[in-house]
Amino acid sequence: MKRIFALTSLALLLGSCANNSDTTSSTTTTTTTTSSTSTETASGAATPASGAATVSAAGKTDTLVIQRSSDIPTTDPGTSYDTASGEVLQNVYETLLSYKGKSLSDFEGVLATEWKANDAGTEYRFTLRPDVKFHTGNPFKCADAEYTFRRNLVTNGSESGNWFLSESLLGTGSNANDDKSITWDKISNAVKCDGETLVFTLPKADPAFLAKLAYTGQGILDSKHAKEIGEWDGTEGNMMKHVGVDLTGSPLAKDPSGTGPYKIVSNDSTGVTLKAFDGYWGGAAPIKNVVLSIVPEQASRLQAFLNGDADMVETGGREVVQTQLAGQPGVTVVDDLETPSTYGFTMNQNLEGSPNLGSGKWGDGIPANFFQDANMRKCFVDAFDYDSYIQQVQMGKGEQLNTMLPKSFLGYDQSLPVAKMDMNASEEACKAAHGGQAWENGFTLNAAYRENDKAMQTALEILKQNIEGMNPKFKMNLKPLQWSEVISKANEQPMIYVGWSPDYADPDNFMRTFYHSKGFYHGRAGFTEPELDKLIDQARDTTDEAQRKQLYSQIAKLAAEKNLYIQLPTQVGVAVVRSNVQGATAENYNPLNNNTWLWKDLSKTQ
């Protein structure tokens, strides 16, 4: 199971309100601000979370009010695998290291001050930051880091992101219930303290290991506090009782203690209230209170934002920003932000037994091997109008990529061409597909999208128009499905949307996901390409950066030649904040920080 954000619909991905521009991006970042003329009245300090939905930011320079549409699933880092939880947790807990500035490849120490790897890349030694305290007042020690990573390896529930830590340290993404080779000795030897130095031992080199440690879910726990409130006691004797457990509502989720700049005051169905931690090692945060309110109604969130009652809100996407928020008094729009996500439509090559083939024959259906023919796939890839999609869905703010990898990631080869609509080439491929049977007999293809998702629907309508206009015997039926059906029946669909936002900033997290026979989307795409598998495995197993770049370029070129997906243009992100919020800039933003800014970097003026 992958990160929940990665499984959201295209509309939700398009609605993501904050992503950053990287130096490799050809886009530029611009900020526009209009002065506030609204009347604001001062009021008191932040109220507890029981009143989170009614707290106003108006006149409060010490309080940041954020409004989101849905709840915070958990405040236990060990099971966090969604951006809503991550937004809170990254301000409460801290990892050993994090991304430096807006870079997706350079790291800086947080709870570690330095680290060294051996020549083989199989041992990492971390020097830990001294004089750090948890919110309980307990001192941060190596034992806390050791406990944290061992707990993540022991629990490794299906709802968490600990599978990729386990892959690095244990050689498998499974937990001890599913893989009997995982023992206490294996876990305890993978991470241990040498005095106050934390030591990781890997079975083989993993070039993505540091990026995985920067993931929010690897935030360091207060082990003394955790044990006192009923969490795993850290011993072999109680290990198996905690394997695979659901930590969503764990004791630690209810009573968190991190080293971060903010501590949770209260947390309920209306939102979360936090206050600045006076004992924070990095110095007190400028904003003393943060109130994150759950406001499901978009109209209510937008009105609160325009009134100055909320400083930051979930907007609903670019169209809303451009038509309802931009240019309004007191609103700052930060635009042209790169989004490190990729998405497209599958052309499922493994449809044997699918109930979505119509008759299963040419004319009023498709045969099960419909997309196994390379010319059939090329027909669809060349028929998609990428420019119209950018204009109609992304309001002119989209960018095409040449493979399912963000352009800011290591290995993206900008010299390779992007797909372009070419109806002549599409028709030629269609005529050649299946020895001419497709052109002569026609077909009826079912393509699925999430019900009420206008972005997905529009994309498929663009494709449908061109495919059906090519040959009167070609038909596409667009099928709206409930989101639960999209998830549960995706492998049966001839064509369905897929999208990905990174768990960690390494190309393997994308290339393996989309193109490998053991990747997450293998079931939906239905292809096995041994040469791609080989190249992806090679790139995953080497720490030589130059070699990895060359391998990923080969992977991208081969995948494009085989037309494995209809790749949609990536969005260009946009964010809005109130104009009196300082620090909410493109330069201060990293999309791997759960699609928002770190609160300690913000301040407010009147």
Side-chain angles (χ1 to χ4, degrees), residues 278-525:
D278 291 338
Y280 182 55
W281 63 267
I287 295 176
K288 302 306 178 186
N289 307 290
V290 177
V291 179
L292 195 156
S293 301
I294 308 305
V295 182
E297 301 81 13
Q298 178 174 293
S300 298
R301 296 194 305 273
L302 298 182
Q303 191 60 55
F305 181 68
L306 290 173
N307 289 345
D309 294 324
D311 299 301
M312 302 165 65
V313 297
E314 184 177 329
T315 63
R318 177 172 294 279
E319 182 177 2
V320 173
V321 171
Q322 292 189 359
T323 59
Q324 299 185 49
L325 302 179
Q328 295 297 316
V331 174
T332 292
V333 178
V334 186
D335 204 349
D336 296 317
L337 306 175
E338 185 193 359
T339 303
S341 302
T342 60
Y343 21 81
F345 287 101
T346 63
M347 293 176 283
N348 196 338
Q349 298 183 46
N350 185 19
L351 291 169
E352 198 65 44
S354 169
N356 300 300
L357 303 180
S359 67
K361 300 177 182 179
W362 297 109
D364 54 358
I366 60 171
N369 66 347
F370 184 73
F371 280 128
Q372 290 178 16
D373 188 297
N375 281 310
M376 197 80 263
R377 300 193 302 274
K378 180 174 173 57
C379 169
F380 280 79
V381 170
D382 288 345
F384 189 77
D385 191 339
Y386 302 91
D387 291 338
S388 290
Y389 177 84
I390 290 173
Q391 294 304 317
Q392 293 182 36
V393 175
Q394 299 173 325
M395 301 189 72
K397 290 286 189 176
E399 183 178 16
Q400 281 185 257
L401 302 177
N402 56 40
T403 194
M404 291 291 196
L405 180 68
K407 66 188 305 181
S408 58
F409 274 47
L410 173 76
Y412 185 86
D413 187 348
Q414 298 195 61
S415 71
L416 299 178
V418 298
K420 294 291 184 182
M421 184 182 72
D422 185 337
M423 292 308 299
N424 290 330
S426 177
E427 182 173 327
E428 182 180 342
C430 277
K431 288 179 177 178
H434 295 281
Q437 291 186 77
W439 189 265
E440 180 180 350
N441 300 307
F443 57 79
T444 301
L445 172 71
N446 293 319
Y449 67 96
R450 183 187 181 190
E451 189 173 25
N452 298 320
D453 191 322
K454 292 182 179 180
M456 279 192 197
Q457 182 179 352
T458 301
L460 287 173
E461 287 173 346
I462 290 171
L463 181 62
K464 172 184 170 74
Q465 180 178 346
N466 286 348
I467 288 293
E468 293 185 348
M470 191 187 318
N471 185 331
K473 297 179 182 179
F474 291 176
K475 302 295 180 185
M476 284 185 64
N477 290 332
L478 308 188
K479 297 175 54 180
L481 300 177
Q482 293 292 327
W483 186 232
S484 59
E485 292 182 280
V486 173
I487 297 298
S488 64
K489 299 181 179 181
N491 293 3
E492 301 174 350
Q493 302 298 332
M495 180 175 289
I496 197 167
Y497 162 79
V498 288
W500 200 251
S501 188
D503 298 314
Y504 49 90
D506 189 86
D508 182 71
N509 193 229
F510 281 87
M511 295 307 225
R512 189 174 184 86
T513 295
F514 284 104
Y515 298 124
H516 199 282
S517 62
K518 294 183 179 179
F520 183 74
Y521 284 133
H522 173 71
R524 303 187 192 191

Side-chain angles (χ1 to χ4, degrees), residues 31-40 57-60 63-66 301-313 315 324-325 327-334 575-585 597 602-606:
T31 303
T32 58
T33 305
T34 51
S35 60
S36 174
T37 58
S38 61
T39 302
E40 297 180 345
K60 300 175 185 174
T63 301
L64 182 73
V65 176
I66 303 167
R301 296 194 305 273
L302 298 182
Q303 191 60 55
F305 181 68
L306 290 173
N307 289 345
D309 294 324
D311 299 301
M312 302 165 65
V313 297
T315 63
Q324 299 185 49
L325 302 179
Q328 295 297 316
V331 174
T332 292
V333 178
V334 186
V576 293
V577 297
R578 293 294 300 179
S579 301
N580 64 329
V581 176
Q582 307 300 305
T585 65
W597 288 273
L602 305 179
S603 61
K604 288 179 66 178
T605 59
Q606 285 286 0

Side-chain angles (χ1 to χ4, degrees), residues 64-106:
L64 182 73
V65 176
I66 303 167
Q67 291 188 0
R68 300 298 186 212
S69 66
S70 57
D71 63 348
I72 311 301
T74 187
T75 49
D76 186 330
T79 193
S80 169
Y81 207 25
D82 66 282
T83 52
S85 299
E87 179 178 11
V88 174
L89 288 169
Q90 68 186 0
N91 294 285
V92 175
Y93 288 88
E94 293 179 303
T95 50
L96 294 178
L97 46 80
S98 66
Y99 298 98
K100 187 175 183 179
K102 62 182 184 180
S103 174
L104 300 183
S105 57
D106 296 329

